[in-house]
Amino acid sequence: MKKEMLINVLQPEESRIAIVEDGILEELYVERNSLENYVGNIYKGRIVNIEPSIQAAFVDFGVGRNGFLHVSDVEFQYYRHLIEKGDGGDSDDDADDLDSGDGDEVRGRSAARGRFNERSVRNKPPIQEIFQRGSEVLVQVIKGGIGSKGPTLSTYISIPGRYLVLMPGLQRVGVSRKIADEDARKRLKRILRDLSPPEGLGFIIRTAGVDQSQADLQRDLNYLLRLWKVIVSRVQKFPAPVDIYEESDMIIRTIRDIYSTAIDTIWIDEQRAFERAREFMSIVLPKQVDCIKLYDGREPIFNQYDIEREISRIQCRHVPMKGGGSIVIDQTEALVAIDVNSGNFRMDDDAEENAYQVNLRAAEEISRQIRLRDLGGVIVNDFIDMRDERHRRGVERALANAVRRDRARTKIMHISPFGLIEMTRQRIRPSLRRSVYEDCPCCTGTGQVKTAESMAIDVMRLLMTHANRDEVSRVTVDVHERVAAFLNNRKRRDITNLEEVYEVTINVHALTAVGPEHLQFHCTNETGSEVKILAQPDSKSKG
């Protein structure tokens, strides 16, 4: 299997990174330079508001939008004094061993936070006892702001290196739970303890460190300790709010977190980015520097690999599957709905077997699509109904196996009697759709607008209201050309009747550079002065 990483940064406004396996796009990362990405950054912030009803605080960390800090993301050091003078309730030290943490979750999310269950949150003091307005707090952004919601913050600091993750304040060492081999886990733990990390700091070995020598891990440990020393000095030197540590740019971050020896070549189409990537690789993986190559072809790199066409189809609702069948993806505010259709797929005369085969293929495609689109939150998959229990369990296993390669955390429920599989996927940043697209100003994101006939009916109702005013002698209506054509052709007699009954002049202006629901009224009296008419609350008209 040939696996390549393609980095396209020729356009200064946007960086794109694609992972291609045997010519198939498997992963895509897009970052707009105009949209600041705070995920992974560390700030010294100040509490500006505390909401006991939701057990959360809002933190000013200096970016213009307050961050959201829930009590479950508050580390033990912030309420240690309350525990010590209280009844000795649970602390962070009572949590599970760090082996249950996932060292691969390093894009701004603390690896330690995942250790806490409902019990450990319940035994924490109320957030109004932990903080006061004006309190200073060291926080890390674990999730970017989505819509009107501000960024989500955590006091569980997590700083990734190539092979290790540094977690200040946690006096433990651990191994990523994605490393399943028990012998490898014991060996790595022993190596990490032999490195004698400083007391008061926790470390987790990432999956990239599974085959590394003690010298490689020592070098990564030294790098993280130097970085932490700089962070501590900035925390002590500057008052809140201030930025303390910023994550690397997208290219360095992706190579650090994603690159493995399974990737044959990293192609970069811009000279300065190429040199920067080689410099970084020479530090963390000097033996792999030569895998980074400069793409200097005349055809754009994504066109050369036929990826642009694939990217253009990413936001389509309807996704055809190879060999027949399709899935339909609808993204709403609260969840994502994915429907599986058999279409023209025919493999067996047996309907049960046919449905099973379609669902197996759909499970693979669903996993791929949620990675490419970076969908998060609750995802409901509506598979084709199957009666055989073996087939139902088989589809569950297929979906679980397909999402294993996903770096975002996922949780999959059992298939329901209606053929639904509910799952959740970690949401760190807005989906690709929300990053690249905006809601249509005509339909405001609903995907539908009123017909010309419906708009004409609305116009006639409002005409009767406005023309009925004694001081109005002329009414001018600005509408879309299709609505104007309907009024002038189908409603001309009704408009003439209104003019005669109310003794007014009505003019309909057709506009082309407006939306289908555009509706604006101008009312004047006999002297030509404008008459103010309040717009109807359920229309887009203006008086």
Side-chain angles (χ1 to χ4, degrees):
M1 180 180 66
K2 187 176 182 181
K3 188 174 182 179
E4 296 175 291
M5 179 186 295
L6 313 179
I7 301 178
N8 169 229
V9 287
L10 278 180
Q11 301 299 324
E13 298 84 6
E14 184 178 67
S15 300
R16 300 187 299 176
I17 298 179
I19 307 295
V20 179
E21 296 182 9
D22 290 336
I24 299 175
L25 178 63
E26 290 292 345
E27 298 179 47
L28 176 67
Y29 304 94
V30 179
E31 191 170 281
R32 287 285 171 88
N33 298 333
S34 58
L35 301 175
E36 292 191 73
N37 181 28
Y38 306 116
V39 174
N41 294 355
I42 300 174
Y43 299 87
K44 185 179 181 181
R46 180 179 291 110
I47 304 293
V48 295
N49 193 23
I50 298 176
E51 294 289 347
S53 60
I54 57 175
Q55 281 299 290
F58 291 91
V59 182
D60 175 14
F61 59 104
V63 302
R65 299 178 69 184
N66 292 337
F68 178 86
L69 175 63
H70 190 261
V71 69
S72 61
D73 287 303
V74 178
E75 194 182 13
F76 176 61
Q77 62 171 319
Y78 289 98
Y79 57 89
R80 181 191 299 271
H81 62 288
L82 298 175
I83 298 297
E84 290 175 349
K85 72 180 182 181
D87 59 2
D90 287 353
S91 73
D92 285 4
D93 293 332
D94 298 321
D96 296 335
D97 184 79
L98 279 180
D99 284 354
S100 62
D102 190 344
D104 284 337
E105 294 170 26
V106 296
R107 293 199 171 194
R109 180 188 183 274
S110 169
R113 179 177 180 259
R115 301 181 297 130
F116 289 95
N117 54 24
E118 183 180 351
R119 176 176 174 271
S120 60
V121 171
R122 186 172 63 244
N123 289 324
K124 289 188 176 184
I127 196 165
Q128 63 269 28
E129 295 182 12
I130 300 175
F131 296 117
Q132 294 179 344
R133 188 173 296 181
S135 299
E136 292 188 344
V137 58
L138 188 67
V139 295
Q140 186 171 36
V141 181
I142 61 175
K143 185 188 299 183
I146 299 176
S148 59
K149 298 179 181 178
T152 303
L153 309 177
S154 175
T155 63
Y156 293 103
I157 306 301
S158 172
I159 305 173
R162 171 61 184 165
Y163 306 123
L164 303 175
V165 180
L166 165 63
M167 294 175 296
L170 297 176
Q171 302 178 13
R172 283 176 169 80
V173 295
V175 179
S176 168
R177 61 184 172 189
K178 289 189 176 181
I179 300 176
D181 185 83
E182 194 60 34
D183 292 336
R185 295 177 66 84
K186 291 179 180 178
R187 178 181 63 84
L188 291 171
K189 257 191 174 181
R190 186 171 57 252
I191 292 176
L192 189 53
R193 289 196 181 100
D194 291 343
L195 296 179
S196 301
E199 292 186 7
L201 296 178
F203 290 89
I204 285 183
I205 298 182
R206 305 178 63 188
T207 52
V210 66
D211 295 322
Q212 304 306 315
S213 66
Q214 183 168 339
D216 293 329
L217 298 179
Q218 180 71 66
R219 184 169 59 248
D220 209 38
L221 176 69
N222 294 339
Y223 161 75
L224 290 172
L225 291 177
R226 290 195 303 270
L227 181 58
W228 179 242
K229 186 177 180 180
V230 172
I231 290 174
V232 171
S233 66
R234 286 184 59 83
V235 171
Q236 296 172 345
K237 184 177 180 180
F238 298 104
V242 64
D243 64 303
I244 300 297
Y245 163 81
E246 291 187 4
E247 259 282 35
S248 306
D249 63 53
M250 184 182 182
I251 296 175
I252 302 303
R253 191 171 67 241
T254 305
I255 293 176
R256 179 195 69 198
D257 296 340
I258 295 178
Y259 175 77
S260 69
T261 53
I263 296 178
D264 301 302
T265 311
I266 300 176
W267 291 99
I268 305 178
D269 64 358
E270 200 270 331
Q271 181 69 38
R272 286 177 296 179
F274 166 73
E275 294 172 355
R276 194 166 69 251
R278 282 184 62 90
E279 180 182 357
F280 173 77
M281 187 68 89
S282 66
I283 297 173
V284 297
L285 285 172
K287 296 180 180 179
Q288 306 297 326
V289 169
D290 291 339
C291 77
I292 300 180
K293 300 183 183 297
L294 178 66
Y295 177 81
D296 56 1
R298 299 184 62 180
E299 188 176 9
I301 185 171
F302 276 25
N303 286 91
Q304 175 70 27
Y305 284 80
D306 200 26
I307 294 177
E308 291 291 4
R309 184 175 60 178
E310 182 76 22
I311 293 175
S312 67
R313 294 200 299 256
I314 281 182
Q315 298 309 323
C316 295
R317 289 182 66 246
H318 184 266
V319 181
M321 294 188 295
K322 187 176 181 179
S326 64
I327 61 175
V328 178
I329 303 174
D330 284 311
Q331 187 176 354
T332 70
E333 188 70 23
L335 57 83
V336 178
I338 302 179
D339 182 42
V340 179
N341 298 316
S342 60
N344 59 355
F345 180 85
R346 299 292 183 271
M347 177 172 282
D348 198 291
D349 292 337
D350 183 2
E352 173 75 12
E353 182 65 25
N354 199 71
Y356 178 53
Q357 294 300 327
V358 173
N359 287 339
L360 290 179
R361 299 187 181 199
E364 291 283 346
E365 188 62 31
I366 286 171
S367 173
R368 176 172 172 264
Q369 289 296 324
I370 63 177
R371 287 198 312 271
L372 292 178
R373 301 174 188 231
D374 203 11
L375 301 176
V378 178
I379 302 173
V380 180
N381 305 287
D382 183 9
F383 288 93
I384 301 173
D385 289 342
M386 299 172 294
R387 296 183 178 181
D388 194 321
E389 190 65 22
R390 293 177 304 165
H391 291 165
R392 295 163 69 86
R393 299 287 85 84
V395 172
E396 289 178 8
R397 289 193 299 271
L399 184 59
N401 291 335
V403 301
R404 281 182 180 172
R405 64 174 297 163
D406 197 341
R407 272 170 290 277
R409 295 185 339 273
T410 58
K411 182 177 180 180
I412 300 176
M413 306 300 290
H414 290 298
I415 192 167
S416 76
F418 300 106
L420 304 178
I421 295 184
E422 300 174 28
M423 61 184 291
T424 60
R425 183 174 184 268
Q426 180 186 18
R427 175 181 285 157
I428 296 177
R429 55 188 175 274
S431 67
L432 183 61
R433 174 181 176 182
R434 297 189 184 278
S435 301
V436 178
Y437 293 83
E438 63 180 5
D439 286 344
C440 170
C442 297
C443 68
T444 62
T446 65
Q448 294 181 319
V449 294
K450 286 186 176 181
T451 63
E453 180 180 15
S454 298
M455 286 300 301
I457 293 172
D458 289 345
V459 169
M460 295 304 298
R461 290 178 179 143
L462 291 172
L463 278 176
M464 295 176 65
T465 300
H466 297 340
N468 192 37
R469 296 283 295 272
D470 293 336
E471 63 271 34
V472 173
S473 64
R474 177 183 293 272
V475 179
T476 301
V477 186
D478 294 338
V479 291
H480 188 269
E481 60 179 351
R482 290 178 59 238
V483 181
F486 193 98
L487 289 169
N488 289 326
N489 295 327
R490 306 280 292 274
K491 292 290 185 179
R492 172 48 58 189
R493 180 175 299 178
D494 295 335
I495 293 175
T496 301
N497 290 338
L498 288 178
E499 289 178 323
E500 294 175 353
V501 170
Y502 296 111
E503 297 180 352
V504 297
T505 301
I506 299 174
N507 294 323
V508 178
H509 285 176
L511 304 178
T512 56
V514 295
E517 293 187 19
H518 179 82
L519 176 54
Q520 192 170 34
F521 280 83
H522 300 280
C523 302
T524 58
N525 57 22
E526 293 181 353
T527 64
S529 300
E530 184 177 0
V531 177
K532 294 291 185 180
I533 302 292
L534 294 178
Q536 297 295 317
D538 58 345
S539 72
K540 297 181 181 180
S541 63
K542 294 171 62 178

